[in-house]
Amino acid sequence: MLHLVGLGLADETDISVKGLEVVKRAERVYLEAYTSILLVETSKLRQRQEAYYGRPVIQADRVMVESWSDEILRGAETIDVAMLVVGDPFGATTHTDLVLRAREMKIPVRVIPNASILTAIGATGLQLYNFGQTVSMVFFTEAWKPSSFYDRVKENRDVGLHTLVLLDIKVKEQSLENLARGRPIYEPPRFMTVAQCAAQMLETEAERQEDVYGPDSLAVGAARVGATDQQFRCGTLKELCDADLGPPLHSLVLLGRRTHDLERDFIREFAIDVATFDQVWKRDYDGRQ
């Protein structure tokens, strides 16, 4: 059987009891290590996991998961194989593909869920049923500045809902030159910050000019959600362009116009500047519920 085991958000101890039981009896244990990361120093993660789980853990990068799935599934008709996934197993489409491949091979599949940023973002005080579509923000380059996220944000805005923005991470990525030359040389890991995301959002608005949001739009930046040192900062996008929330992982929530007064009271505690928050709230959000 193939077991997809959610790991939660912070560290190796976030695995559920049920998930840990599966890991301890599995013949092979893989860690999907590119759609997200645990909030543990990369060089120590494998050692910490193997010590806590009592089993060797095989690192599964993008190439292995997407191109060598047959190796991952080898023998799973008769033995237990565990794929460990940061957050919840179905937080990324990659894992749906793996399940479909297992079904084609007549391999039974079991999913053990866990917390993901999609639910843990409620720690901001924003109510989950007030969220619309989730979008992703990738690192812009000089030649590539995709803005498909903008249309989804606009749809959310039109009905007054919050937008959760998932920020890009680059793990074991190759430069275009090394990729073209077939050289297995990888770039250092990069993790987008709230400040970078806010700046790119404003850059896109300046390009599209559809007034979906602007420098004075309120948003909440979140860092290391689920960890003991998680942080939240609330302010305008302009303010968040200069905010430092520390180490990764970061996320951002753009407030919808239907933000409830209870939500306001909660996020006001995170305000970068309370006077600015109150002014923008009164002008653009108060009475819009």
Side-chain angles (χ1 to χ4, degrees), residues 121 124 126-133 161-164 253:
I121 199 64
T124 59
L126 298 174
Q127 298 165 3
L128 295 180
Y129 56 77
N130 280 342
F131 279 77
Q133 302 169 83
L161 298 177
H162 310 314
T163 300
L164 171 61
V253 181

Side-chain angles (χ1 to χ4, degrees), residues 174-186:
Q174 292 176 278
S175 67
L176 291 177
E177 180 182 355
N178 287 328
L179 187 63
R181 295 177 180 273
R183 296 185 299 208
I185 301 173
Y186 300 97

Side-chain angles (χ1 to χ4, degrees), residues 20 56 69 83 86 112 114 166 175 203 216 223 233 241 289:
L20 186 58
S69 59
M83 172 64 76
V86 176
I112 301 176
N114 209 318
L166 304 179
S175 67
E203 182 179 352
D216 288 340
R233 293 288 184 273
C241 284
Q289 297 91 335

Side-chain angles (χ1 to χ4, degrees), residues 65-119:
V65 176
E66 295 185 354
S67 302
W68 299 349
S69 59
D70 286 356
E71 172 58 25
I72 295 172
L73 297 172
R74 174 175 52 85
E77 303 92 338
T78 56
I79 64 172
D80 287 318
V81 175
M83 172 64 76
L84 310 183
V85 180
V86 176
D88 186 81
F90 287 127
T93 56
T94 293
H95 313 121
T96 302
D97 291 340
L98 187 62
V99 169
L100 292 175
R101 178 61 179 152
R103 287 178 180 175
E104 291 176 359
M105 300 172 67
K106 308 302 182 185
I107 294 171
V109 177
R110 181 188 184 195
V111 178
I112 301 176
N114 209 318
S116 79
I117 190 61
L118 299 176
T119 52

Side-chain angles (χ1 to χ4, degrees), residues 4 24 28 46 56 87 104 107 111 122 127 138 281:
L4 292 180
K24 287 184 176 295
R28 295 193 308 277
R46 184 171 179 178
E104 291 176 359
I107 294 171
V111 178
Q127 298 165 3
V138 301
W281 173 269

